[in-house]
Amino acid sequence: MTTTRQHKVSRLLHKELGEYFQRQSKAITGGKMITVTVVRISPDLGIAKVYLSIFPGDKAGETIQAISERAGLVRSEMGNKLRNQLRHIPEFTFYLDDSLDYIDRIEGLLNDE
């Protein structure tokens, strides 16, 4: 169960990370489109799990690895951007959100019948 504060911080990080990846996706991933789908924050606001959807999906694991290696840089950028709104910027862990692939697979199985 998330608190109101967790929800507000999650929404703020979701918005700002989305804008960041929109600006920096060419430098980080070579032009792949990155969408922040979900941000889940721990109760102590110290760790944020960020789920990313990457298009095109080929080599998505390598893309997540490249972004994870730059997690410190992303955190410092968010710190500069949000320093007047958040006292502590959480540490980011990035995960691949494959829910769209899962939906496509289910739809394909249903259409085959």
Side-chain angles (χ1 to χ4, degrees):
M1 179 137 171
T2 61
T3 63
T4 303
R5 182 70 178 152
Q6 281 176 287
H7 187 66
K8 286 181 180 180
V9 171
S10 174
R11 283 188 307 168
L12 178 65
L13 289 173
H14 187 272
K15 177 182 171 279
E16 294 299 331
L17 284 169
E19 290 176 5
Y20 174 79
F21 285 121
Q22 190 175 25
R23 288 190 314 267
Q24 299 294 329
S25 67
K26 190 169 189 177
I28 295 173
T29 63
K32 291 186 179 182
M33 188 170 69
I34 301 172
T35 305
V36 178
T37 55
V38 177
V39 176
R40 292 194 178 114
I41 191 136
S42 64
D44 66 348
L45 305 178
I47 298 173
K49 293 181 180 180
V50 182
Y51 293 87
L52 303 173
S53 177
I54 299 170
F55 182 80
D58 59 325
K59 299 182 183 177
E62 293 175 8
T63 304
I64 290 291
Q65 183 66 27
I67 293 170
S68 294
E69 290 172 0
R70 292 190 169 110
L73 177 63
V74 174
R75 185 176 183 213
S76 69
E77 288 287 328
M78 290 297 109
N80 290 336
K81 182 97 173 165
L82 301 173
R83 67 176 167 241
N84 295 328
Q85 297 173 19
L86 292 176
R87 181 175 293 165
H88 298 286
I89 303 299
E91 294 184 27
F92 297 114
T93 53
F94 296 100
Y95 299 96
L96 180 62
D97 184 10
D98 56 355
S99 59
L100 292 177
D101 296 333
Y102 181 73
I103 291 169
D104 287 340
R105 191 174 66 115
I106 296 296
E107 284 182 358
L109 290 171
L110 291 174
N111 289 335
D112 286 343
E113 291 182 3

